[in-house]
Amino acid sequence: MMQLFVQPPDLTITQLSSSELISDLSHKVFKELFEVLLEVAKQDFLTWIENIKRVREGTKQGKALFDLEEYQEATEIFREVIIIEPKHYEAWFMRSLCLLLLGELQQSIRSFDQTINRKETYQAHHYKAIAQILIQDFDSALESLEKAIQLNPDISELWFNKARILEKLNKYAEAIDAYDQAVTIKPANHQAVIYGDILKNPLQGCFEETTEILIGKASVMIEKLRYEEATAYINRVIEINAENAEAWSLRGDVLRWNFDHQDAIYSYQRAIEINIELSQSHYGMGMSFYHLKRYGLAYKALKEAVNLANDFSDAFFNLGMASYQLKYWDKANEAFTRFCELNPSDVKGFLYRGHTYRKRRDYSNALSAYQEVLSRDSKNLQALTCIGNIYVTLGNEYQALEVYSEVVDLNPNDQSAQSKVWDLKRSLELRRLEHERQLEYQREREKQEIERQERERLEMKNRQQQLEERRREKELREMFEYRARQKRKWFGLF
């Protein structure tokens, strides 16, 4: 069962004076009681530390699941965090958001109420209003949005949503004011411009359809993927003013998203002729060239885009991709590095940095880049697979097997990784058998050498014994001859 204790333990009991208890307890009993209380306080403190760790790990795991759109699993994780720490605002907020995305609207609203009880933020009121809108409780939604606006009146989207609700409640004059406020805060909020103008039209008479309004409408249609309507608005702008660079650039975007890259390039070129400093046009033209596999022209256009806008992260990434296709490894690495600086949480920049280093056979830096990916996404299969490939290239089969096994655990349907695991296991087994055979051969050689040395020792010993016996025989023979000569001498034989 989970520990519910999350408050730091009260250690003031350790500050009691012994004189307060000495009248009722002996010194020995007081000492034993004091040690027991200290042990309890220590255990409670350790539990408190453990719960802090579990709350942090649970929140991190829940966010990771949320990013993977695993909302049901994330909800369970955040629920466990809340059981441990009932006052944890972030866990309540993320759980409420998961319930909203799962379509559990009533439960989501109740959860947002609990979130607001812990900490009142405009985000909690805003998302609660969205849930209320979805169940068509517009009065409550309006109340929630007004509370959100009180907490942060400088968010254009809050005023826009308030205006939409007011329209549903037939409060048109108030809705117009809300749309106007949304546009005042954020002039680029084209939806607020369009809906506000549509609402004003029957109330205040027809308004002039300016190029700015038409471009705003085109932008909204593009966001809604309604490209035909967007094209109609853009063509109308060009009819009014053929030198409107923004209209030509938007026209190029629509054509590019419809895969009509040749016409898109023409539109971008017209936009650039009118305004050469329009970075979005250079970017769009570069992307069309890239899709046509004209990587040299794509590189030039994208390079111009980043020269005009040094914080244009998408342009830097695709400049890296064009450089990669052209095998400009250093330039690709520079572009991907800049993208990583602008988007440190986006793993694709680090991933392609790793690919670039691999192409240059700089495996040390490639491994570092892939590790950066895993530090942000520990289950990134592409990074793990690339690390496994590098280990195979370097001959580190044990490390490669460990990485590929992890890939198979994460994706059991990856037949390529399964095949590599099987091949590596077979290779390592063959190496093990070969190693054992070599060891056995070595042991046999050592045994034969010992036996040879033993035979030589025995032979040497036998030769020494034979020599010793010959020496002794010679000594005996010489002694017998000497005695014989002496006897002959003694008996006058000489």
Side-chain angles (χ1 to χ4, degrees):
M1 181 179 291
M2 293 186 178
Q3 296 286 343
L4 299 180
F5 186 90
V6 294
Q7 295 288 333
D10 185 5
L11 300 180
T12 56
I13 186 66
T14 61
Q15 300 172 2
L16 290 174
S17 171
S18 59
S19 62
E20 295 175 354
L21 300 175
I22 198 67
S23 60
D24 299 319
L25 299 171
S26 68
H27 180 72
K28 181 178 179 181
V29 173
F30 172 78
K31 182 180 179 182
E32 291 176 353
L33 177 60
F34 185 77
E35 290 175 350
V36 169
L37 291 173
L38 278 178
E39 184 62 25
V40 171
K42 178 182 177 182
Q43 292 300 322
D44 283 346
F45 186 79
L46 292 174
T47 301
W48 176 64
I49 293 295
E50 181 63 23
N51 283 339
I52 290 176
K53 293 180 180 178
R54 290 168 66 185
V55 165
R56 289 177 179 174
E57 289 299 320
T59 304
K60 182 178 179 181
Q61 184 181 357
K63 286 182 177 179
L65 288 168
F66 182 89
D67 291 338
L68 294 172
E69 299 183 2
E70 299 290 344
Y71 302 126
Q72 191 64 54
E73 292 82 352
T75 301
E76 293 301 317
I77 295 295
F78 289 124
R79 185 183 66 83
E80 293 177 5
V81 172
I82 290 167
I83 291 174
I84 300 172
E85 175 54 277
K87 295 183 179 180
H88 198 284
Y89 163 79
E90 190 174 12
W92 274 106
F93 180 81
M94 294 302 297
R95 176 179 180 272
S96 306
L97 198 55
C98 288
L99 291 170
L100 175 60
L101 292 169
L102 288 169
E104 301 290 340
L105 302 178
Q106 293 289 357
Q107 193 174 352
S108 171
I109 292 169
R110 290 194 294 271
S111 185
F112 276 121
D113 286 334
Q114 293 293 332
T115 304
I116 293 166
N117 288 338
R118 269 75 184 170
K119 182 180 177 182
E120 194 170 12
T121 64
Y122 82 89
Q123 293 97 330
H125 283 295
H126 187 193
Y127 283 108
K128 178 185 174 184
I130 291 173
Q132 291 166 332
I133 290 170
L134 292 173
I135 63 172
Q136 298 188 7
D137 185 0
F138 299 116
D139 289 319
S140 298
L142 180 61
E143 182 181 349
S144 296
L145 271 174
E146 287 176 344
K147 289 180 179 178
I149 290 170
Q150 287 176 3
L151 293 169
N152 194 339
D154 297 324
I155 304 296
S156 178
E157 288 75 12
L158 297 179
W159 287 98
F160 176 80
N161 289 333
K162 178 181 178 181
R164 297 295 291 159
I165 295 172
L166 289 167
E167 275 196 73
K168 290 290 184 180
L169 296 173
N170 299 324
K171 298 180 180 181
Y172 299 114
E174 294 177 40
I176 290 172
D177 292 339
Y179 280 129
D180 290 342
Q181 185 64 28
V183 174
T184 300
I185 295 170
K186 185 179 178 182
N189 191 337
H190 298 302
Q191 283 186 312
V193 172
I194 291 171
Y195 284 113
D197 287 336
I198 291 172
L199 186 58
K200 292 174 186 177
N201 202 18
L203 294 179
Q204 300 178 3
C206 295
F207 58 88
E208 184 180 355
E209 206 169 35
T210 64
T211 56
E212 290 77 11
I213 291 173
L214 289 169
I215 288 175
K217 290 183 177 182
S219 300
V220 172
M221 293 300 105
I222 290 172
E223 290 176 8
K224 294 180 177 294
L225 306 181
R226 294 166 60 177
Y227 296 130
E228 290 184 6
E229 292 92 329
T231 302
Y233 286 125
I234 292 168
N235 290 338
R236 176 61 179 151
V237 173
I238 294 172
E239 288 175 7
I240 296 171
N241 180 10
E243 299 300 308
N244 190 307
E246 187 179 1
W248 282 107
S249 186
L250 278 176
R251 183 176 185 273
D253 290 340
V254 172
L255 292 167
R256 174 164 60 89
W257 292 326
N258 280 311
F259 305 102
D260 189 354
H261 295 295
Q262 290 291 357
D263 285 345
I265 290 169
Y266 170 76
S267 293
Y268 290 131
Q269 287 174 335
R270 287 286 292 119
I272 292 168
E273 289 172 2
I274 298 166
N275 183 2
I276 197 172
E277 296 186 356
L278 203 59
S279 62
Q280 188 66 39
S281 298
H282 290 283
Y283 171 75
M285 185 163 64
M287 293 306 298
S288 286
F289 279 130
Y290 185 90
H291 286 291
L292 292 173
K293 298 185 179 180
R294 299 168 68 179
Y295 300 121
L297 293 173
Y299 174 84
K300 291 179 180 179
L302 291 166
K303 183 67 175 175
E304 190 62 30
V306 300
N307 287 339
L308 292 168
N310 192 43
D311 58 349
F312 198 162
S313 62
D314 288 343
F316 274 106
F317 179 79
N318 288 293
L319 175 63
M321 293 299 295
S323 303
Y324 188 88
Q325 295 292 342
L326 293 168
K327 299 182 181 179
Y328 298 164
W329 307 128
D330 290 337
K331 295 182 183 299
N333 190 48
E334 289 176 7
F336 290 134
T337 299
R338 179 57 180 159
F339 175 81
C340 293
E341 291 172 356
L342 294 170
N343 297 277
S345 61
D346 194 333
V347 300
K348 67 181 180 182
F350 295 99
L351 193 63
Y352 273 94
R353 281 188 69 197
H355 296 342
T356 303
Y357 284 125
R358 279 183 65 202
K359 290 292 185 180
R360 295 167 58 183
R361 298 184 180 181
D362 186 353
Y363 298 122
S364 176
N365 280 324
L367 286 172
S368 297
Y370 292 133
Q371 290 297 338
E372 287 283 353
V373 175
L374 296 179
S375 69
R376 292 160 172 78
D377 178 9
S378 60
K379 297 181 180 180
N380 191 290
L381 295 175
Q382 192 172 356
L384 288 169
T385 301
C386 290
I387 290 172
N389 290 338
I390 291 175
Y391 284 145
V392 170
T393 302
L394 297 175
N396 299 334
E397 292 185 331
Y398 285 103
Q399 291 173 293
L401 177 60
E402 182 179 349
V403 173
Y404 283 128
S405 298
E406 186 176 353
V407 172
V408 173
D409 290 340
L410 293 171
N411 184 14
N413 296 323
D414 190 335
Q415 295 182 354
S416 176
Q418 289 178 347
S419 176
K420 289 176 180 177
V421 167
W422 188 84
D423 289 342
L424 285 167
K425 286 183 177 179
R426 182 179 63 176
S427 175
L428 290 171
E429 180 64 17
L430 290 173
R431 283 177 58 185
R432 185 186 66 79
L433 293 173
E434 177 63 19
H435 181 66
E436 290 183 354
R437 190 183 70 78
Q438 290 290 341
L439 288 176
E440 185 63 27
Y441 176 75
Q442 184 66 25
R443 286 195 292 267
E444 185 64 26
R445 290 286 302 273
E446 291 175 353
K447 180 180 177 182
Q448 291 176 358
E449 179 65 19
I450 291 171
E451 290 176 350
R452 184 187 66 77
Q453 292 177 358
E454 183 64 19
R455 286 196 302 271
E456 290 180 351
R457 189 184 66 78
L458 291 173
E459 290 174 359
M460 179 65 72
K461 183 178 180 181
N462 289 334
R463 284 197 296 270
Q464 290 176 349
Q465 288 178 349
Q466 290 174 0
L467 289 172
E468 181 65 22
E469 290 175 357
R470 289 174 185 174
R471 185 184 63 76
R472 291 176 63 186
E473 288 176 357
K474 182 179 178 182
E475 288 178 350
L476 289 172
R477 188 168 57 251
E478 289 176 349
M479 184 180 68
F480 286 142
E481 290 177 354
Y482 174 78
R483 288 178 178 177
R485 286 195 300 270
Q486 289 297 325
K487 286 180 180 182
R488 287 194 294 272
K489 182 177 179 182
W490 291 340
F491 291 104
L493 297 178
F494 297 97

